[in-house]
């Protein structure tokens, strides 16, 4: 079977697992002061632009900033914003955008007909 290579981009955004976040008040058997370990946000994107846009939105949400709609995303501006967010607590905050090239098997449905002369 022939292979085709596709690209995928992963985004990891979070804070150190030792940090804690408040539980939902509706959880049975818990009180408001109970805490659970924070979990990173992991997402997979089909384009680099989507991954950078998701990082921009994630950092803005964590900082309490309003979302900024953009026609084109500027990866350098997003990196500066994410680095500034991380600089607020560099020991616990982290982010990463990674590109992957994935080989996908493509079934051969029909062979090309060879012309006969």
């Amino acid at each position: 079977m022939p292979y085709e290579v596709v690209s995928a981009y992963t985004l990891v955004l979070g804070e150190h697992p030792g940090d804690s976040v408040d539980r939902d008040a509706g959880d049975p058997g818990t009180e408001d002061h109970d805490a659970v370990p924070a979990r990173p946000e992991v997402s997979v994107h089909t384009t680099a632009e989507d991954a950078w846009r998701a990082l921009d939105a994630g950092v803005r949400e964590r900082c309490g900033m309003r979302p900024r709609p953009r026609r084109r995303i500027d990866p350098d501006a997003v990196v500066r914003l994410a680095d500034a967010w991380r600089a607020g607590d560099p020991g616990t905050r982290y982010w990463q955008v990674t590109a992957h090239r994935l080989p996908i098997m493509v079934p051969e449905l029909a062979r090309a007909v060879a012309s006969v002369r």
Side-chain angles (χ1 to χ4, degrees):
M1 271 198 221
Y3 284 87
E4 186 171 319
V5 177
V6 296
S7 295
Y9 301 84
T10 56
L11 165 64
V12 179
L13 177 65
E15 299 191 31
H16 192 272
D19 291 348
S20 61
V21 294
D22 293 332
R23 283 190 190 265
D24 291 337
D27 286 348
T30 64
E31 297 179 20
D32 289 340
H33 65 273
D34 289 341
V36 295
R39 292 187 179 89
E41 176 183 324
V42 179
S43 56
V44 179
H45 304 274
T46 56
T47 65
E49 184 172 335
D50 287 346
W52 290 116
R53 191 175 307 280
L55 176 60
D56 183 72
V59 169
R60 287 178 180 280
E61 180 181 334
R62 288 169 186 261
C63 293
M65 300 171 70
R66 64 184 169 91
R68 181 178 294 173
R70 296 182 178 161
R71 291 191 177 103
R72 266 188 47 186
I73 199 79
D74 179 12
D76 293 331
V78 175
V79 166
R80 286 192 301 273
L81 177 65
D83 283 344
W85 166 75
R86 186 172 183 268
D89 193 358
T92 61
R93 295 178 179 173
Y94 56 92
W95 66 271
Q96 181 179 26
V97 174
T98 307
H100 308 275
R101 298 192 41 87
L102 308 170
I104 305 293
M105 282 193 296
V106 179
E108 190 173 340
L109 299 176
R111 290 183 183 223
V113 179
S115 61
V116 179
R117 292 185 185 206

